[in-house]
Amino acid sequence: MANQLSVLSSFTHITQEIQGIRAIVSVQYPELTAMQSLSDSFAKILGNKRAVYLAVTDQQFWHVHTVGEKVVKKTPIEANHIDDVKISNTTLTGERDVKLPQVSITTKHVTHKTIKEGKEKKTVEIPNFTQHDFTLFPVTFLPNLKYNQKMDEVLQSVEMRQIVLSSLQKIQTKIADKKIIEQFNAQGK
């Protein structure tokens, strides 16, 4: 990618596993399972810490968990499976109130089931929805939670957060347009 942000070079452990990343943002730390907590305890002894990100490519979003410079979990969110996007702000209160984007992405996967109606078999679609909730932070720290001291890379981190939000807003607009067209078509029948 010609205009790739230089700060992405600090995340080669992620960009080597997921091709075409345009932006990476930090997201809130998830609730961990007992095994993940135990694993993290051992990793901390070795100086490795868990970090969680949301990365964006042209066709997907990726929820990525790392421990140190090792990717331990990556979950794709296919852009063409996104059924709804909600973007709002949350405020972290403290010495200074900080507003952070909060994103809720709902994906829809359709499965098919054959049912018997009298003597005939009929295939029906069954929608399955999954909700992904994220609070987006600029990546102000690098792998293994080492804070970034370079101002240009901190500014690029803020820019990456805007790239992620812009990608989500484009999908949100596309979904709204599709719903308007569906309503218009339904009224015309």
Side-chain angles (χ1 to χ4, degrees), residues 44-75:
K44 282 181 187 174
I45 292 169
L46 300 172
N48 294 317
K49 299 173 188 168
R50 180 177 294 267
V52 186
Y53 304 97
L54 182 64
V56 63
T57 66
D58 287 336
Q59 299 298 317
Q60 297 170 314
F61 293 86
W62 289 86
H63 190 200
V64 182
H65 292 240
T66 62
V67 175
E69 291 194 15
K70 181 181 180 195
V71 174
V72 293
K73 182 179 178 184
K74 56 185 180 180
T75 307

Side-chain angles (χ1 to χ4, degrees), residues 109-131:
H109 298 277
V110 177
T111 57
H112 296 86
K113 183 178 182 179
T114 303
I115 58 172
K116 194 173 182 180
E117 282 187 356
K119 294 181 181 182
E120 293 183 27
K121 288 185 179 181
K122 179 179 173 183
T123 301
V124 293
E125 291 185 349
I126 301 171
N128 297 304
F129 296 95
T130 305
Q131 187 166 324

